[in-house]
Amino acid sequence: MDGHFLQRDWLRHVVLPRRWVRELDRRAIEDFAIPGPVLMENAGRGATDVLERLGITGRVVICCGKGNNAGDGFVVARHLDLRGFDVLLLLAFPGESLTGDALLNYQIARRAGLPMKVMGVDLNSEELKRWLTEAEWIVDGLLGTGAIGNPRPPFDTFIEAINMARDAGARVFALDLPSGWDCDSGEPGKPCVRADHTVTFAVMKPGFLKPHAASFVGQVDVVDIGVPRRLVMEVAEQYAREIPGPG
C-alpha cells in the first residue's frame, strides 16, 4: 500500500490554480474522451481509500452541497457503505435540485438505499449539529474549487456546525479543499471548515503551499482521478508559460 501511494507522489509537485484545473478537467473530457462520471468515480473512490487507510471505527457523516463536490461525496458514501461502514448523508439541498454528474451520483445513492437527510426538510440547524457531533468522521463535500468569497446560507450553517463538532471530538475529512477556503490564495472565508485531513484531486493547488494553510487543510493527500500523465504535464507546461518571469 505505501509503495502504491509513493508512485503517485509526483502529482504533489504539479501545482495548478483553479482556472487551469478546470482546463485539465475540460481537456480530459473533450480531448481524451474520459466521461465526467468516470473522473468523479475515480475521485470519490480514491478519497475513500485514503479515509479507510486513516482508520474508521464509527459513523461517517458526509455533508453534500450542490456541485461536483457533492457528487464526490455521494461516491464516497456509496463506497464506504459497500465496505461495510456506517454512513449518513446530510444534504444542503434536495437531491432533485442537483444537476449533471452530481445528480447522477445522488440518484445512485438514493436507489442504493443510503440513509440521507435534507436541510430544511428532514433536519434543522440543531438536528444538524446533533448528527455531526455524534460522528467519528465528517466528510466535507459542500463547496469545491470554484467557490469564491464568504460562504452563504445554508453553507455557513453547515460549516459552523462542522467546526463545532470538530471541537467536540469529531474528525474532519475535506474533499478537494475545506469549504470556504480559497484554493488559489489560501485565504479562509468566514466561516471556513477546519479539516484534519484533505484529499485534493488531480494536482496540488497554490493555496496549499501557503504557510498558514495547514491550520485549515490539515494533512494533505493528492488523489489522482485518472487523468493521463501526458495531459497533466501538457497543462502544467501551458500554465508555466503563462507565469510572468522576474522583472
Side-chain angles (χ1 to χ4, degrees):
M1 177 68 77
D2 289 341
H4 182 58
F5 275 85
L6 285 173
Q7 290 175 19
R8 303 180 184 178
D9 197 50
W10 70 276
L11 288 170
R12 295 186 65 89
H13 304 288
V14 180
V15 182
L16 295 175
R18 65 167 59 85
R19 181 167 75 86
W20 287 91
V21 171
R22 285 197 292 266
E23 176 68 6
L24 186 68
D25 287 345
R26 183 194 68 79
R27 289 197 57 193
I29 294 169
E30 296 180 7
D31 298 348
F32 284 73
I34 305 175
V38 171
L39 298 176
M40 185 172 287
E41 182 73 15
N42 291 342
R45 185 165 188 167
T48 305
D49 290 340
V50 175
L51 182 54
E52 185 175 17
R53 177 166 57 89
L54 293 172
I56 305 170
T57 58
R59 169 170 284 176
V60 181
V61 175
I62 300 101
C63 298
C64 294
K66 207 169 188 177
N68 283 344
N69 208 236
D72 299 330
F74 291 121
V75 175
V76 170
R78 173 161 44 85
H79 281 286
L80 286 173
D81 177 69
L82 184 61
R83 300 176 193 190
F85 296 109
D86 180 15
V87 299
L88 172 66
L89 283 155
L90 299 183
L91 280 59
F93 302 93
E96 292 74 16
S97 68
L98 304 178
T99 59
D101 299 340
L103 175 60
L104 171 66
N105 278 290
Y106 159 73
Q107 292 170 333
I108 296 171
R110 180 172 58 80
R111 293 172 186 176
L114 300 187
M116 59 181 72
K117 297 180 181 295
V118 181
M119 187 70 177
V121 178
D122 304 306
L123 73 165
N124 57 35
S125 59
E126 290 305 312
E127 291 167 326
L128 172 66
K129 293 175 185 176
R130 177 171 61 83
W131 285 114
L132 292 175
T133 301
E134 293 175 357
E136 180 197 12
W137 280 102
I138 300 169
V139 176
D140 170 20
L142 293 170
L143 294 169
T145 57
I148 300 174
N150 294 331
R152 293 174 290 185
F155 296 109
D156 55 350
T157 300
F158 266 83
I159 292 170
E160 289 167 354
I162 288 172
N163 287 338
M164 183 179 299
R166 182 177 184 269
D167 290 340
R171 301 166 72 187
V172 178
F173 185 85
L175 300 177
D176 216 8
L177 79 173
S179 293
W181 186 77
D182 191 294
C183 69
D184 282 0
S185 69
E187 292 299 322
K190 295 180 181 179
C192 180
V193 165
R194 300 192 310 273
D196 297 286
H197 202 106
T198 299
V199 286
T200 197
F201 299 130
V203 296
M204 287 287 279
K205 287 78 178 179
F208 287 99
L209 306 181
K210 303 295 183 180
H212 57 274
S215 59
F216 294 95
V217 303
Q219 183 181 343
V220 179
D221 273 288
V222 180
V223 169
D224 79 78
I225 61 173
V227 176
R229 179 190 289 261
R230 173 184 171 185
L231 176 56
V232 173
M233 299 312 298
E234 285 179 3
V235 172
E237 289 168 5
Q238 288 178 315
Y239 169 56
R241 289 196 296 269
E242 184 186 75
I243 301 174

